[in-house]
Amino acid sequence: MLSFESIQADVEKWLAELDYGKEPKNLYEPIRYAMSLGGKRLRPTLCLATCALFKDDYNQAKWPALALEIFHNFTLLHDDVMDKATIRRGKPTVASKYGLNTAILSGDAMLIEAYRLLQQTDSPSFSLITDAFNQVAREVCEGQQLDMDFETREDVTAAEYLEMIRLKTAVLLATSIKMGALAGGATAQETQSLYEYGILIGLAFQLQDDMLDSFGNPETFGKAIGGDIMDNKKTYLLIKAYEGADAQQRRELQAWMSNPEAVREEKVEAVKAIFQVSGAKDATQAKIEELFAQAMSKLREMEIPAEGKRYFIDYANTLFKRDK
Amino acid sequence: MLSFESIQADVEKWLAELDYGKEPKNLYEPIRYAMSLGGKRLRPTLCLATCALFKDDYNQAKWPALALEIFHNFTLLHDDVMDKATIRRGKPTVASKYGLNTAILSGDAMLIEAYRLLQQTDSPSFSLITDAFNQVAREVCEGQQLDMDFETREDVTAAEYLEMIRLKTAVLLATSIKMGALAGGATAQETQSLYEYGILIGLAFQLQDDMLDSFGNPETFGKAIGGDIMDNKKTYLLIKAYEGADAQQRRELQAWMSNPEAVREEKVEAVKAIFQVSGAKDATQAKIEELFAQAMSKLREMEIPAEGKRYFIDYANTLFKRDK
């Protein structure tokens, strides 16, 4: 079976072969820049790997895989505009390098390019693949809108938060797997089970990302610890902290969140302490374990060869950098 | 043959039947608002009318027509964001009514919706229709980028301006006709000729729009006269004015354009006077006539029934509100 690394290398090679366009330079140069920022190419790799589970090669999933990667980078580009982010993967965002209008328009052109690539798909499942893409594209927008809505709401529940990250993050990972399964000729049932596995792993992945944002190792996390805390982002951790806090802790939490002058280090340390004593950290870790276990059990139920199951288990373990 | 009014009525009925989505409200409500701002529904009407030239009915062009209208409104929405426009068709733009981020994201969702509708097309020409759509979507972005590039350039030529409006405006009108022809089963040659007719009419249409912006009747134009002049927009009129002006007129033009404090009425009147004495107004009118004549001659060469030709001639005359 092909290693993730070798599939990733194919993705990079195919991406390098794409010709986004030349003129006007101010439209296409930012696209090349955005695509050059790299990342793990997780979505196309998942798509191709899943296709290969059901077929000897993964050529039929090439265009869906590339469409997914361009689409994902389009969402990052426009999200960065909406979040006024200046840094992405250690480099200036498209908006801060080329300006706001260019970032909006280049993002639009990337979304169009994703559809153009998807269109090249030559598969008996073409129609199901494009339906899946249309649906996920819409859902990711819904997730982003919910995320923005939550910024001005004080009553976001844990269930609402999970629904938001399902739409904003998990469905694209799950659909990457689904599109690969469809291209590979999986049955409807296999496709559905793999999709559900993808949702569960995607949710767990996002919750772990939230945990790392507060409790990660600054040396390996890649960006400053405590960004969510400074933004008062209504993560699972914060929602659970409010749920579990006693009156004194809740007052303290509210004081930190309503103080725009708070010193970063002090606020981050104090809120992290509340995340711990209120039981929010443990509750989040427990939720991650629960989702992970559900994902594994979803796999076990599936009637695919043991080798294939091993593949998805290894993948999940890699995502979570576990040893077992 | 069906009247434009009756086709337009079908477009409105079909648009009203679309279900963009419900939750999150902040994503879908702005889409409904944007689509409710109306307009002449020119692109879907052209698409359907062209289909009906080759077929008994235009049902096969329904989804392409709706996709074109949503796409067009998506471009207006994002253009308004980039231009910081506050008013569209006499009402607040989506950005000024709902905020910048909502406008960006709702626009993205509209582009996705356009593709989803296009996907419903059930036609032997499905693949050609979607290719045409992908290409025009890309070209419209290129046109918008050129338009933005021109803002900071002083050496834009008339040829470059015509290429910009070809991409920004004419190709979408021409592709609306092309997609209708494809859905109706026109030959490749018929499709191509109609497309070229569409480009010529589209260019003439945009130049006329530029003329109206400076020389229109304030009572019927619908917005304030002189917007392009106040924005120093490098239209065909302005480019021709620089070409035709003598040294004195050129200095005067430059003085008005480099004076951000200029009183609106004074600047508009003075620049209009230069447009006239420099011969720019006449040159623009001559270019409109030339493009119009080329469009008519393109039609005359075509081997389609006289009734069909009449249709496109009437359409062109309507666009230009001519009596003949």
Side-chain angles (χ1 to χ4, degrees), chain A residues 81-97:
Chain A
V81 171
M82 294 182 249
D83 298 345
K84 298 183 181 50
T86 55
I87 299 290
R88 159 80 54 192
R89 292 174 184 143
K91 297 227 175 115
T93 55
V94 172
S96 58
K97 189 176 165 84

Side-chain angles (χ1 to χ4, degrees), chain A residues 176-242:
Chain A
S176 300
I177 295 174
K178 180 179 181 174
M179 286 167 66
L182 289 168
T187 65
Q189 164 122 43
E190 287 162 343
T191 305
Q192 180 59 22
S193 296
L194 284 168
Y195 180 82
E196 288 167 14
Y197 158 84
I199 294 287
L200 292 162
I201 282 294
L203 291 172
F205 180 62
Q206 184 58 51
L207 288 182
Q208 170 159 290
D209 210 52
D210 294 351
M211 281 283 267
L212 290 175
D213 198 272
S214 293
F215 295 103
N217 178 345
E219 313 242 320
T220 55
F221 183 53
K223 53 181 176 175
I225 294 294
D228 288 348
I229 291 175
M230 291 312 291
D231 292 342
N232 293 336
K233 199 162 157 61
K234 282 144 202 120
T235 59
Y236 198 81
L237 268 169
L238 182 60
I239 294 164
K240 284 289 166 186
Y242 269 110

Side-chain angles (χ1 to χ4, degrees), chain B residues 66-175:
Chain B
L66 293 176
L68 284 160
E69 183 63 13
I70 311 265
F71 176 80
H72 173 60
N73 281 275
F74 143 74
T75 66
L76 298 181
L77 208 167
H78 274 193
D79 283 5
D80 283 346
V81 171
M82 293 182 249
D83 299 343
K84 298 185 179 52
T86 55
I87 299 290
R88 161 77 57 192
R89 290 174 185 141
K91 297 225 175 119
T93 55
V94 172
S96 59
K97 189 175 163 86
Y98 296 96
L100 191 71
N101 285 355
T102 296
I104 296 172
L105 191 63
S106 299
D108 292 345
M110 284 170 81
L111 177 51
I112 291 163
E113 179 68 3
Y115 272 102
R116 193 185 68 80
L117 296 177
L118 186 66
Q119 199 67 30
Q120 321 291 311
T121 309
D122 182 17
S123 161
S125 308
F126 175 78
S127 174
L128 290 172
I129 290 171
T130 48
D131 285 352
F133 190 85
N134 284 327
Q135 186 182 331
V136 80
R138 186 184 167 99
E139 287 173 336
V140 170
C141 290
E142 292 177 352
Q144 170 68 6
Q145 183 63 51
L146 286 180
D147 199 10
M148 297 196 298
D149 287 349
F150 289 179
E151 285 170 20
T152 53
R153 275 184 52 193
E154 297 305 325
D155 58 350
V156 179
T157 65
E160 286 178 316
Y161 181 74
L162 290 175
E163 173 63 3
M164 185 277 281
I165 63 173
R166 185 183 74 83
L167 290 166
K168 189 166 168 169
T169 303
V171 290
L172 191 59
L173 289 167
T175 300

Side-chain angles (χ1 to χ4, degrees), chain A residues 22-260:
Chain A
K22 286 190 181 55
E23 294 292 336
K25 219 171 115 261
N26 290 340
L27 179 64
Y28 293 117
E29 180 67 28
I31 298 181
R32 276 185 284 274
Y33 174 74
M35 294 305 296
S36 77
L37 292 177
K40 294 183 293 294
R41 313 301 189 192
L42 206 56
R43 290 148 197 85
T45 302
L46 270 176
C47 177
L48 296 166
T50 311
C51 180
L53 281 184
F54 299 96
K55 260 197 152 54
D56 286 343
D57 65 61
Y58 48 61
N59 286 332
Q60 295 230 327
K62 172 179 174 177
W63 299 114
L66 293 176
L68 285 160
E69 184 62 14
I70 311 266
F71 176 81
H72 173 59
N73 282 274
F74 143 75
T75 65
L76 297 181
L77 209 167
H78 274 193
D79 283 6
D80 283 346
V81 171
M82 294 182 249
D83 298 345
K84 298 183 181 50
T86 55
I87 299 290
R88 159 80 54 192
R89 292 174 184 143
K91 297 227 175 115
T93 55
V94 172
S96 58
K97 189 176 165 84
Y98 297 96
L100 191 71
N101 285 356
T102 296
I104 295 171
L105 192 63
S106 298
D108 292 345
M110 285 172 81
L111 178 51
I112 291 162
E113 178 68 2
Y115 271 103
R116 193 185 67 82
L117 296 176
L118 186 66
Q119 200 67 29
Q120 321 292 311
T121 309
D122 181 19
S123 160
S125 308
F126 176 78
S127 173
L128 290 172
I129 290 171
T130 48
D131 285 352
F133 190 84
N134 285 327
Q135 186 182 332
V136 79
R138 187 183 166 99
E139 287 174 336
V140 170
C141 290
E142 293 177 351
Q144 171 67 5
Q145 184 63 51
L146 285 179
D147 198 9
M148 296 195 300
D149 287 349
F150 289 1
E151 285 170 21
T152 52
R153 275 185 51 195
E154 298 305 324
D155 58 350
V156 179
T157 65
E160 285 178 316
Y161 180 74
L162 290 174
E163 173 63 3
M164 185 276 281
I165 62 172
R166 185 183 75 83
L167 290 166
K168 188 167 169 168
T169 303
V171 288
L172 191 58
L173 289 167
T175 300
S176 300
I177 295 174
K178 180 179 181 174
M179 286 167 66
L182 289 168
T187 65
Q189 164 122 43
E190 287 162 343
T191 305
Q192 180 59 22
S193 296
L194 284 168
Y195 180 82
E196 288 167 14
Y197 158 84
I199 294 287
L200 292 162
I201 282 294
L203 291 172
F205 180 62
Q206 184 58 51
L207 288 182
Q208 170 159 290
D209 210 52
D210 294 351
M211 281 283 267
L212 290 175
D213 198 272
S214 293
F215 295 103
N217 178 345
E219 313 242 320
T220 55
F221 183 53
K223 53 181 176 175
I225 294 294
D228 288 348
I229 291 175
M230 291 312 291
D231 292 342
N232 293 336
K233 199 162 157 61
K234 282 144 202 120
T235 59
Y236 198 81
L237 268 169
L238 182 60
I239 294 164
K240 284 289 166 186
Y242 269 110
E243 276 179 29
D246 61 24
Q248 162 64 20
Q249 291 160 354
R250 181 166 306 147
R251 270 196 305 276
E252 208 189 318
L253 200 49
Q254 270 156 349
W256 282 112
M257 291 186 57
S258 54
N259 176 9

Side-chain angles (χ1 to χ4, degrees), chain B residues 222-234:
Chain B
K223 53 182 175 174
I225 294 295
D228 289 348
I229 292 175
M230 292 310 291
D231 292 343
N232 293 336
K233 198 162 158 63
K234 282 147 202 113

Side-chain angles (χ1 to χ4, degrees), chain B residues 4-57:
Chain B
F4 267 92
E5 289 70 24
S6 81
I7 303 179
Q8 242 172 28
D10 262 354
V11 172
E12 289 297 347
K13 187 179 66 118
W14 290 338
L15 284 173
E17 285 165 4
L18 292 179
D19 178 15
Y20 300 108
K22 286 190 180 58
E23 295 291 336
K25 218 171 114 260
N26 290 339
L27 179 64
Y28 293 117
E29 180 68 28
I31 299 181
R32 277 185 283 274
Y33 174 73
M35 294 304 298
S36 77
L37 292 177
K40 295 182 293 292
R41 313 301 190 193
L42 206 56
R43 291 148 197 85
T45 302
L46 270 176
C47 178
L48 295 167
T50 310
C51 181
L53 282 185
F54 300 96
K55 260 198 152 52
D56 287 343
D57 66 62

